[in-house]
């Protein structure tokens, strides 16, 4: 059955893109909700019905520091990887091992034999926070909005909906059917997007709707307040269809400065915050806090400038990769919170390891015509082998990685100019200068990788699609096969070939995978860790089971 085949494929692709999540010490063993004590019933004739156990009441309040303030809480406009803000649910969700499981769906969606029809039956009894029942019409409304070019959702291009979604229809009040233009091996993952209420949004301009900052969803937390520049407040949904919610009140505050986040943790005004390794280390042995290390697929990559004449020869780009000591970056910059990276997929079908070999790199540069000049730097036809590498000025980890790359390449006679800039300035110089790029996701590869490497994105106006402007028919072929192929073996072969081709091209100089670190106050329990994608502090890898967190009394 196709549905079974897809589930197996998704399982194996998880193996392809990442290892099973590791539980971060000292994460305590999660405790199931304790059922209410049975109430003794006086003898009656006939006996009374057994009372329904009361839900454990949510309690307490925590303050969570985010690095940036969101622009919008409507899931139609949100970054897929940021999650659904716990106010919404998708038709499916990811469990701790990143396996898809039903969320608003009553069971996993059914896929037709030709892969072009997906049918979803909704869980009964779900209501929005205003009491209105969820129906198939809400799902249809959400997905037609996602596909509408007048709605400024980045998910439409990310999901390739113009080439995938033919239509979505309500078969009855609890059944939805998606009709696809082509088989889409990643489509079930796209059903993670939160469902919005038709009765509150129909007829409005979704781009400017007040709903976007005052959302009403079906999730475990109900939106209460948004003070611009200060905080967002949510409270537990007492009728959540997914079961009891642990913490009564969440306050999200926006603190971009990493030192300020650390200071507020110590001061007790913040309970949860993501920190870079050097700051997180100061909390490691403090009994007031717990330190969680989150395995991730989040790579830091030096994307080399495609317009730089010195780097046109692929032998030069490969020599640079050979000269970077990745383990030294893990040990020295990340203080062990990471691992060396050699390609876009971290495990399962990993790319070949590129040994640290500065002498081999020098030989490869000389083969490409570069020779040592009197100042010690390589030169050719009277010009020095040099290029510029940019990093976001506010990101200390990317800065330190850029400096480590400069130090390593200087040893083989390559002059790297490192510049810390704002993102606007970095975007304006894409192509002329390299940049320390952050990317990675542990979900289906096709959700992201197609836009980063396929030649159809080489000359669009978006700076973050195919940022190295790679044009390689073999890479295109591997991406197309991975996108349309349901056969798990052939799909794995396509993505394995892709890893090798990207490494041979050399424009993407993979350095390390990060292990993001989040520090919490020790009163918070029941935290579980899920492998993370590209994250900015507190994100999905930490928050996926936020509704199950508890406050220790």
């Amino acid at each position: 059955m196709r549905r079974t085949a897809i589930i197996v494929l998704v399982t194996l692709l998880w193996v392809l893109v990442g290892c099973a999540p590791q539980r971060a010490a000292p994460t305590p063993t999660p405790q199931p909700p304790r059922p209410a004590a049975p109430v003794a019933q006086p003898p009656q004739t006939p006996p009374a019905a057994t009372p329904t156990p009361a839900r454990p009441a949510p309690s307490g309040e925590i303050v969570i520091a985010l690095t940036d303030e969101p622009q919008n809480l409507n899931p139609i406009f949100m970054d897929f990887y940021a999650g659904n803000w716990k106010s919404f649910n998708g038709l499916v969700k990811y469990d701790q091992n990143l396996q898809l499981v039903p969320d608003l769906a009553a069971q996993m969606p059914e896929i037709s034999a030709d892969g072009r029809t997906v049918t979803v039956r909704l869980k009964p009894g779900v209501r929005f926070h205003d009491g209105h029942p969820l129906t198939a019409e809400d799902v249809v409304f959400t997905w037609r909005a996602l596909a509408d070019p007048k709605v400024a959702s980045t998910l439409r291009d990310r999901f390739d909906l113009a080439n995938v979604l033919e239509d979505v229809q309500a078969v009855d009040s609890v059944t939805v059917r998606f009709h696809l233009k082509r088989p889409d091996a990643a489509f079930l993952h796209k059903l993670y997007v939160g469902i919005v209420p038709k009765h509150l949004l129909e007829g409005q301009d979704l781009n400017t709707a007040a709903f976007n900052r005052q959302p009403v969803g079906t999730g475990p937390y109900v939106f209460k307040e948004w003070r611009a520049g200060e905080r967002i407040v949510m409270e537990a949904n007492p009728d959540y269809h997914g079961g009891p919610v642990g913490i009564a009140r969440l306050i999200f505050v926006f603190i971009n400065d990493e030192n300020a986040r650390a200071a507020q943790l110590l001061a007790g005004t913040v309970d949860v915050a993501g920190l870079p390794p050097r700051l997180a280390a100061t909390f490691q042995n403090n009994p007031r806090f717990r330190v969680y290390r989150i395995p991730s697929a989040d790579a830091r990559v030096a994307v080399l400038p495609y317009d730089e004449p010195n780097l046109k020869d692929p032998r030069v780009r490969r020599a640079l990769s050979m000269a970077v000591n990745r383990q030294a970056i893990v040990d020295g910059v990340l203080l062990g919170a990471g691992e060396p990276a050699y390609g876009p997929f971290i495990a399962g079908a990993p790319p070949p390891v590129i040994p640290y070999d500065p002498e081999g790199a020098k030989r490869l540069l000389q083969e490409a015509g570069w020779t040592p000049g009197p100042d010690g730097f390589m030169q050719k036809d009277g010009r020095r082998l040099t290029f510029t590498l940019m990093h976001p000025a506010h990101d200390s980890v990317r800065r330190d990685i850029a400096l480590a790359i400069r130090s390593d390449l200087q040893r083989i006679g390559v002059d790297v100019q490192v510049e810390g800039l704002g993102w606007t300035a970095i975007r304006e110089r894409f192509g002329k200068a390299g940049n320390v790029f952050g990317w990675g996701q542990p979900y289906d590869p096709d959700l992201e990788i197609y836009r980063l490497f396929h030649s159809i994105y080489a000359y669009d106006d978006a700076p973050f699609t195919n940022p190295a402007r790679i044009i390689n028919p073999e890479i295109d072929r591997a991406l197309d096969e991975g996108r349309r192929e349901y056969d798990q073996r052939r799909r794995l072969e396509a993505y394995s070939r892709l890893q090798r081709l990207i490494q041979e091209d050399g424009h993407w100089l993979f350095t390390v995978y990060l292990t993001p670190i989040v520090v919490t106050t020790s009163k918070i329990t029941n935290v579980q860790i899920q492998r993370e994608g590209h994250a900015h502090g507190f994100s999905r890898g930490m928050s996926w089971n936020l509704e199950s967190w508890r406050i220790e009394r």
Side-chain angles (χ1 to χ4, degrees):
M1 185 176 180
R2 177 56 55 87
R3 182 170 73 91
T4 303
I6 295 299
I7 293 171
V8 172
L9 174 61
V10 169
T11 302
L12 291 179
L13 281 174
W14 160 235
V15 174
L16 172 67
V17 299
C19 300
Q22 300 171 5
R23 194 175 187 129
T27 308
T29 302
Q31 298 297 316
R34 178 177 295 176
V39 178
Q41 299 294 317
Q44 295 180 4
T45 304
T50 303
T52 302
R55 285 185 175 212
S59 62
E61 170 184 296
I62 59 172
V63 179
I64 300 171
L66 305 179
T67 56
D68 300 293
E69 182 174 5
Q71 300 297 312
N72 197 319
L73 296 183
N74 184 335
I76 288 176
F77 297 101
M78 288 172 61
D79 183 339
F80 178 77
Y81 306 111
N84 284 326
W85 267 95
K86 296 301 178 185
S87 282
F88 294 90
N89 299 98
L91 297 175
V92 299
K93 62 182 179 181
Y94 294 95
D95 68 11
Q96 187 177 11
N97 296 319
L98 289 177
Q99 300 300 303
L100 288 175
V101 295
D103 196 358
L104 291 178
Q107 61 270 338
M108 285 302 291
E110 297 175 2
I111 301 178
S112 63
D114 65 358
R116 296 194 174 196
T117 302
V118 178
T119 302
V120 184
R121 292 178 177 79
L122 298 179
K123 182 190 295 183
V126 177
R127 292 182 178 275
F128 286 98
H129 298 153
D130 63 356
H132 199 281
L134 171 84
T135 73
E137 291 293 342
D138 297 303
V139 180
V140 172
F141 178 83
T142 300
W143 275 84
R144 287 183 177 172
L146 284 167
D148 185 350
K150 295 191 297 296
V151 176
S153 172
T154 59
L155 295 177
R156 182 175 55 261
D157 288 339
R158 187 186 296 273
F159 290 173
D160 194 30
L161 292 184
N163 297 310
V164 169
L165 188 63
E166 180 74 37
D167 196 12
V168 52
Q169 297 175 326
V171 177
D172 55 41
S173 64
V174 294
T175 308
V176 182
R177 186 157 293 147
F178 295 86
H179 300 278
L180 308 186
K181 295 178 182 177
R182 62 167 173 82
D184 181 0
F187 190 75
L188 293 192
H189 291 256
K190 299 171 184 176
L191 299 181
Y192 173 85
V193 175
I195 302 301
V196 299
K198 176 182 177 181
H199 69 282
L200 295 179
L201 287 168
E202 187 174 32
Q204 297 189 40
D205 179 354
L206 296 188
N207 300 307
T208 59
F211 177 94
N212 298 341
R213 296 178 70 87
Q214 300 171 5
V216 176
T218 56
Y221 281 94
V222 181
F223 171 85
K224 288 297 177 184
E225 179 187 44
W226 186 343
R227 294 184 189 174
E230 184 181 340
R231 67 180 190 175
I232 291 173
V233 179
M234 295 183 177
E235 294 183 355
N237 176 2
D239 302 315
Y240 181 49
H241 59 89
V245 178
I247 296 176
R249 183 177 164 94
L250 306 177
I251 301 174
F252 297 92
V253 297
F254 320 121
I255 307 174
N256 185 259
D257 183 85
E258 57 201 30
N259 291 296
R261 292 196 298 274
Q264 294 211 27
L265 275 168
L266 287 169
T269 53
V270 159
D271 297 295
V272 182
L275 294 176
R278 66 179 176 80
L279 286 174
T282 64
F283 291 84
Q284 188 64 55
N285 298 316
N286 189 330
R288 292 174 52 205
F289 301 96
R290 288 187 169 93
V291 177
Y292 294 90
R293 292 173 177 255
I294 306 168
S296 90
D298 189 11
R300 291 295 174 269
V301 185
V303 177
L304 301 179
Y306 51 86
D307 279 342
E308 171 53 60
N310 290 334
L311 304 181
K312 291 292 185 183
D313 189 329
R315 291 174 295 182
V316 173
R317 301 193 296 268
R318 290 200 292 271
L320 303 186
S321 187
M322 294 164 62
V324 171
N325 189 340
R326 294 166 173 82
Q327 188 60 52
I329 295 175
V330 171
D331 297 337
V333 175
L334 304 181
L335 305 181
E339 57 187 300
Y342 305 99
F345 306 134
I346 192 168
V353 171
I354 301 172
Y356 172 54
D357 184 6
E359 293 305 316
K362 289 179 184 177
R363 289 193 296 273
L364 192 54
L365 288 178
Q366 290 173 4
E367 181 183 314
W370 295 89
T371 57
D375 58 1
F377 289 107
M378 292 289 186
Q379 62 178 10
K380 180 180 180 182
D381 300 330
R383 68 179 191 275
R384 176 186 287 187
L385 181 47
T386 183
F387 68 94
T388 298
L389 184 61
M390 305 178 289
H391 66 84
H394 68 277
D395 190 327
S396 64
V397 172
R398 293 197 211 196
R399 176 200 63 203
D400 291 347
I401 290 173
L403 293 174
I405 291 172
R406 181 177 71 178
S407 178
D408 283 343
L409 296 189
Q410 191 169 12
R411 294 189 180 96
I412 63 167
V414 179
D415 179 22
V416 181
Q417 302 296 316
V418 172
E419 294 186 28
L421 301 168
W423 274 115
T424 300
I426 290 175
R427 281 195 291 267
E428 290 173 351
R429 295 177 61 190
F430 261 48
K432 295 181 174 56
N435 72 93
V436 181
F437 196 75
W439 171 78
Q441 56 97 357
Y443 317 110
D444 190 282
D446 188 59
L447 291 173
E448 188 82 31
I449 200 165
Y450 198 89
R451 292 158 46 86
L452 292 174
F453 293 100
H454 201 284
S455 62
I456 64 172
Y457 295 102
Y459 295 108
D460 64 8
D461 294 330
F464 299 115
T465 54
N466 198 347
R469 301 296 183 256
I470 295 173
I471 300 175
N472 184 327
E474 289 189 71
I475 287 179
D476 291 351
R477 194 172 300 114
L479 288 166
D480 289 332
E481 289 177 16
R483 164 165 283 190
R484 67 171 180 261
E485 186 57 70
Y486 281 114
D487 182 275
Q488 57 182 355
R489 181 182 56 80
R490 289 200 288 268
R491 201 172 188 215
L492 285 167
E493 288 175 353
Y495 285 128
S496 297
R497 190 166 72 255
L498 178 66
Q499 297 243 66
R500 177 179 55 78
L501 292 167
I502 291 171
Q503 196 175 85
E504 290 175 356
D505 174 86
H507 273 103
W508 283 58
L509 197 169
F510 284 84
T511 61
V512 292
Y513 287 108
L514 304 186
T515 299
I517 301 176
V518 175
V519 178
T520 76
T521 49
S522 56
K523 69 180 182 182
I524 298 173
T525 62
N526 272 13
V527 175
Q528 297 180 12
I529 300 301
Q530 185 186 72
R531 182 171 283 272
E532 184 69 274
H534 180 50
H536 296 274
F538 181 80
S539 193
R540 267 172 67 170
M542 187 75 179
S543 68
W544 76 277
N545 78 324
L546 181 56
E547 61 270 29
S548 298
W549 290 15
R550 300 286 187 273
I551 294 178
E552 197 172 65
R553 296 180 183 279

